[in-house]
Amino acid sequence: MRILKIWWPLLSSSLAIVLEIWLPNSPKHPPVAEPYFLYLLILASVLFLGCAVGCCLRAGFRAIIDDKAYFYAAALAALNALNLVTNKFSLLPAIFFPTPDRILNVLVTDFPYLFADCLGSSAKLLFTGFFSGAVAGLITGIAVGFSKKISYWVNPLIRIIGPIPPTAWIPIVLVAFPTTFGGGAFLIALSVWFPTTVMTSSGIANVQNAFFEVSSTLGAGHYYQIFHVGIPAAMPFIFIGLFTGTCSSFITLMTAEMLGVKNGLGWYINWQREMLSYANVYAGLIIIAVSFYIFITMFFKLRDHILVWQKGVIKW
Amino acid sequence: MVAVFKNLFNLSLADDNDEKKGKLSGSISVDRVVKSFIQNDGGRVVALSGVSLEVGGGEFVSLIGPSGCGKSTLLRLIAGLNRADSGSLYLDGEKITQPEYQRGLVFQNPLLFPWLNIHSNVAFGLRARKIYRENKNEVEKFLKLVGLEKFGRAYPHQLSGGMAQRASLARALINRPRVLLLDEPLGALDAFTRMNMQDEILRIWRERKITMIMVTHDVDEAIYLSDRVVVMSPGPAKIDTVLDVPFSRPRARSNPDFLLLRSSILKILNYGGQIVEPTYQI
Ligand SMILES: Nc1ncnc2c1ncn2[C@@H]1O[C@H](COP(=O)(O)OP(=O)(O)O)[C@@H](O)[C@H]1O
Ligand SMILES: [Mg+2]
């Protein structure tokens, strides 16, 4: 059974190849320049053949694919099914549901433009907004968390401005700012700032007072306590705030690009939709999914690195 | 202005403490201290009603008494974590106004910083006082002192209760405080670990000649460790009796004199159960 398991992805991709070659394409879909879908399937087959053979030869190899084998097989089967439904039998409206082949063709031919122009512009906007929002949120949160006076004056402001969805500011901000880039970055910063501020200050408020007491009997002054007791102790909360901010910054980024910023992936998708080039819309979505996935993965890597002390996994 | 200057002068004196330790011996003096708390329901609780106590430098004193009689409050006042309503407290004649490293504190809960490994926890005081660079080796030394030299890289959640409490002890000791305040430090440990820790504390106390004031619930522990046992009583919270423990160390817990002192302390504490007086023939 376990020996069979590692062959499933290969079986699935081979089946897809057979069907792709054997069945005729539906005439409702325009023909494509290169059969990239077939290339993709062949690439997958070679890869999984290598994995399966490797597993038979070396025991250590197995761990790489073993527990994901069924998932890969199912994913390939889903692609296969999508290909049948669109390309082969054309069961869905051809204009809204292009073939995988077409989407891959767009990805390949439009890649320089999608990657360098759209993704680059989106990334620049996102990072500018995200980091200024995160830094501002940390500073506000720490100030509110440690100073009663600042909390007294700033807290009402946070409570009133914070819950307004940043995208609701778009009509004002995109007009008020000299450049749409500045306005977009401001909105993204705003959407990161609010959750970061709230979680940072409440994280600090939740730190056991005993930690401050102990540190003061160990000779720590007020500022030392802020940076070496309050902030580290509040780190798990701060990361929750940053994560919420990350998700909300993605929404703001897309909306800002669709509604005003004449650049980036959000704008590209909207523009292609207006032109009814749905293959390009899907290509844009794939780029978004992959890059946000990478962003979030890096974020969690960073969190795990900083919060090693929190994991109760390693026991002595 | 003069007062500020004097304070600065005193502080700098205290800082290069090691040579001058002979003079700044770590004597604590508590002078008619009153402390009350406002409860959540608005009522007032008198936690200490005019307590006076003199503890000599290098002495080991235990505070014992029913819970709620103000033992922790007294310790917190000495540590400088709370202010007295009236009366004053002194360390080597210097008025106590705020916490400082000269008066180390160890709680029942080890309260290690969970985000720092054991090495960094122990080094915390040195870093906070900005003397870590020139005293790096101290950390290893104090880890060794409490038998945790192999666990420097471990995080607090990876340690057992006894190990965590020893780390907490090392963290307080690395500052070389003149006084170490211990609030039921061994209360959460099992009997066996507790006896080992008692010997460890005793050894450190002898080696370092630190004044130690320890709150405990355990009469045996108080007699085993201390030069004097201070029995406190509630309502009004005050010191009831101070007893000398004249036995030489190491002390045998089954020694008849030990047991006699034990039963007299239990009597003062108004222990409800039957006290079996030790009877012995010569
Ligand atoms: N922070 C506080 N707020 C209100 N009441 C307190 C506080 N600390 C101690 N008390 C009260 O003071 C009394 C003495 O407490 P404590 O010193 O902790 O007793 P012990 O350590 O001897 O058990 C208790 O009645 C307790 O409820
Ligand atoms: Mg207590």
Side-chain angles (χ1 to χ4, degrees):
Chain A
M1 213 35 227
R2 282 181 63 79
I3 294 296
L4 272 184
K5 186 177 171 188
I6 49 173
W7 294 95
W8 271 102
L10 182 63
L11 190 71
S12 183
S13 61
S14 309
L15 178 68
I17 290 174
V18 170
L19 291 176
E20 164 69 10
I21 294 174
W22 182 48
L23 291 173
N25 287 350
S26 155
K28 286 190 192 158
H29 287 281
V32 291
E34 286 275 347
Y36 283 121
F37 185 60
L38 189 61
Y39 297 167
L40 182 74
L41 290 175
I42 292 170
L43 183 71
S45 302
V46 170
L47 222 64
F48 285 117
L49 177 68
C51 282
V53 170
C55 284
C56 294
L57 297 180
R58 279 183 49 194
F61 213 82
R62 164 155 286 162
I64 303 174
I65 176 176
D66 201 35
D67 62 331
K68 283 264 169 79
Y70 290 136
F71 174 80
Y72 291 135
L76 286 164
L79 277 180
N80 189 12
L82 183 67
N83 192 41
L84 293 182
V85 165
T86 54
N87 200 12
K88 302 299 174 187
F89 302 120
S90 200
L91 299 177
L92 296 166
I95 187 150
F96 299 122
F97 298 96
T99 65
D101 242 350
R102 271 205 76 71
I103 299 171
L104 287 172
N105 268 277
V106 170
L107 268 178
V108 173
T109 51
D110 262 15
F111 190 76
Y113 180 67
L114 269 171
F115 194 78
D117 282 39
C118 296
L119 183 60
S121 154
S122 287
K124 200 169 132 203
L125 187 57
L126 182 67
F127 281 114
T128 312
F130 185 87
F131 284 109
S132 35
V135 169
L138 284 174
I139 292 172
T140 327
I142 290 163
V144 168
F146 280 110
S147 158
K148 287 224 168 67
K149 208 178 259 173
I150 294 177
S151 159
Y152 175 87
W153 290 108
V154 177
N155 245 342
L157 209 66
I158 296 172
R159 285 196 192 140
I160 291 170
I161 294 176
I164 303 173
T167 45
W169 295 99
I170 285 179
I172 302 164
V173 168
L174 291 184
V175 175
F177 272 74
T179 60
T180 52
F181 180 85
F186 175 77
L187 287 175
I188 292 165
L190 196 63
S191 53
V192 179
W193 170 80
F194 174 58
T196 308
T197 299
V198 171
M199 292 313 287
T200 303
S201 65
S202 68
I204 288 166
N206 275 304
V207 178
Q208 271 190 71
N209 198 34
F211 281 135
F212 293 113
E213 292 183 347
V214 166
S215 66
S216 70
T217 67
L218 292 171
H222 190 60
Y223 286 100
Y224 197 85
Q225 286 185 358
I226 291 179
F227 289 104
H228 292 90
V229 180
I231 294 174
M235 255 323 159
F237 276 74
I238 292 174
F239 269 102
I240 294 173
L242 282 172
F243 179 66
T244 316
T246 306
C247 297
S248 124
S249 73
F250 290 165
I251 299 172
T252 310
L253 173 70
M254 286 300 123
T255 321
E257 284 180 344
M258 286 183 181
L259 293 185
V261 183
K262 293 269 172 284
N263 236 330
L265 288 166
W267 163 82
Y268 176 87
I269 288 176
N270 206 33
W271 171 47
Q272 296 300 334
R273 181 187 59 88
E274 282 165 3
M275 313 235 301
L276 288 181
S277 331
Y278 271 81
N280 298 60
V281 172
Y282 288 112
L285 283 173
I286 289 170
I287 300 259
I288 289 172
V290 171
S291 40
F292 285 2
Y293 170 80
I294 292 170
F295 190 95
I296 299 253
T297 307
M298 289 191 323
F299 177 88
F300 277 112
K301 282 257 150 52
L302 177 72
R303 187 201 62 169
D304 289 347
H305 179 72
I306 292 179
L307 297 185
V308 266
W309 54 271
Q310 230 202 353
K311 290 193 290 189
V313 188
I314 322 154
K315 283 271 177 201
W316 285 76
Chain B
M1 187 59 218
V2 177
V4 170
F5 192 77
K6 202 178 153 205
N7 266 341
L8 278 176
F9 181 67
N10 279 342
L11 267 179
S12 67
L13 246 185
D15 266 336
D16 41 321
N17 62 74
D18 269 20
E19 271 98 295
K20 302 200 170 83
K21 209 148 194 185
K23 279 177 202 157
L24 304 174
S25 58
S27 67
I28 290 284
S29 134
V30 179
D31 184 23
R32 286 163 292 171
V33 161
V34 176
K35 175 69 184 173
S36 56
F37 289 104
I38 310 289
Q39 301 290 79
N40 287 336
D41 57 19
R44 245 178 127 76
V45 172
V46 180
L48 291 172
S49 61
V51 166
S52 297
L53 179 68
E54 296 288 333
V55 178
E59 201 181 358
F60 200 127
V61 170
S62 287
L63 305 179
I64 200 163
S67 69
C69 70
K71 305 182 296 291
S72 298
T73 306
L74 180 55
L75 226 54
R76 291 174 59 86
L77 286 169
I78 297 172
L81 293 172
N82 290 110
R83 289 281 186 92
D85 299 346
S86 71
S88 338
L89 302 99
Y90 302 90
L91 167 63
D92 292 326
E94 196 180 320
K95 194 162 174 171
I96 293 169
T97 54
Q98 59 177 16
E100 54 150 353
Y101 71 91
Q102 295 286 9
R103 284 164 276 119
L105 184 56
V106 174
F107 296 91
Q108 174 169 4
N109 176 345
L111 284 172
L112 295 172
F113 304 118
W115 56 91
L116 297 178
N117 64 23
I118 301 307
H119 186 281
S120 301
N121 260 288
V122 173
F124 187 91
L126 299 180
R127 288 216 172 91
R129 290 164 56 211
K130 314 224 168 8
I131 54 164
Y132 176 67
R133 258 164 213 275
E134 52 273 39
N135 293 288
K136 263 182 192 157
N137 302 333
E138 293 286 284
V139 182
E140 289 300 326
K141 212 160 92 190
F142 277 86
L143 281 173
K144 204 170 243 165
L145 183 74
V146 296
L148 288 176
E149 62 271 27
K150 291 208 186 83
F151 293 90
R153 303 183 64 124
Y155 279 93
H157 71 257
Q158 297 167 318
L159 299 192
S160 70
M163 287 157 83
Q165 196 56 287
R166 286 195 308 225
S168 169
L169 205 58
R171 182 177 63 175
L173 287 169
I174 202 166
N175 278 326
R176 300 181 187 278
R178 280 183 254 165
V179 181
L180 187 65
L181 308 165
L182 303 134
D183 194 350
E184 298 182 36
L186 313 182
L189 305 179
D190 63 273
F192 185 71
T193 314
R194 184 151 74 204
M195 300 226 287
N196 280 332
M197 287 284 288
Q198 286 168 359
D199 287 328
E200 201 143 355
I201 288 174
L202 214 50
R203 181 171 57 86
I204 292 166
W205 171 70
R206 288 184 137 181
E207 268 176 30
R208 313 239 152 234
K209 302 182 176 62
I210 302 171
T211 310
M212 289 199 180
I213 305 177
M214 171 160 155
V215 171
T216 177
H217 267 133
D218 184 345
V219 180
D220 282 18
E221 181 170 283
I223 301 171
Y224 185 73
L225 295 175
S226 338
D227 296 324
R228 284 189 296 157
V229 177
V230 175
V231 184
M232 297 180 68
S233 61
K238 59 170 174 36
I239 291 177
D240 187 302
T241 319
V242 180
L243 293 147
D244 277 317
V245 186
F247 318 139
S248 64
R249 295 186 179 88
R251 294 170 180 169
R253 289 166 218 260
S254 54
N255 185 305
D257 293 333
F258 192 109
L259 296 175
L260 211 57
L261 185 59
R262 178 175 184 274
S263 55
S264 59
I265 291 176
L266 285 173
K267 249 183 219 155
I268 299 168
L269 286 171
N270 241 331
Y271 168 64
Q274 182 117 35
I275 297 168
V276 182
E277 293 271 347
T279 52
Y280 48 94
Q281 303 96 347
I282 302 158

